[in-house]
Amino acid sequence: DHYPDRLAKCLLMRVPGIFARAWGTIKNFMDDASASKVVFVGASPEAEKVAFDAIGAWELIPSSYGGPREGEVPVPNIPGEENVSLAPPLEPTLLRTRSK
């Protein structure tokens, strides 16, 4: 309860198979809520697009990586740059408040 939950989803793409096998052991040492946020994405471009669409980030992927965005990608919270706001806001049920 001392560390606020900040990670919404962790997408692991194009990782060697050893990571997926090791994850089977590693996740046993984590709580279920944290472990459920880790997703291994298939190696195909279609699987990657589906994964990015699911979190609302497909529009941010530059064309050089196979995405639809032309030009520069905005970087959040850097002076002089606009904040990234294309992703939909999290549902209130996914946000956890700190208890005092």
Side-chain angles (χ1 to χ4, degrees):
D1 290 340
H2 296 287
Y3 302 100
D5 195 7
R6 296 174 189 238
L7 180 68
K9 190 68 72 175
C10 176
L11 302 177
L12 298 174
M13 300 180 176
R14 302 178 189 184
V15 296
I18 188 73
F19 287 103
R21 290 189 293 278
W23 177 247
T25 302
I26 295 168
K27 69 180 180 181
N28 293 324
F29 296 98
M30 300 174 69
D31 63 70
D32 292 338
S34 295
S36 68
K37 295 177 182 184
V38 176
V39 177
F40 285 83
V41 178
S44 71
E46 295 81 22
E48 292 175 358
K49 182 181 184 314
V50 168
F52 280 121
D53 272 338
I55 62 170
W58 177 246
E59 293 81 22
L60 297 174
I61 306 302
S63 60
S64 59
Y65 289 103
R69 188 169 184 96
E70 295 295 330
E72 295 184 7
V73 176
V75 180
N77 303 322
I78 293 181
E81 293 286 338
E82 62 185 74
N83 284 331
V84 176
S85 61
L86 296 176
L90 291 176
E91 297 174 23
T93 57
L94 297 178
L95 299 176
R96 201 170 87 180
T97 58
R98 276 170 104 172
S99 57
K100 294 182 180 179

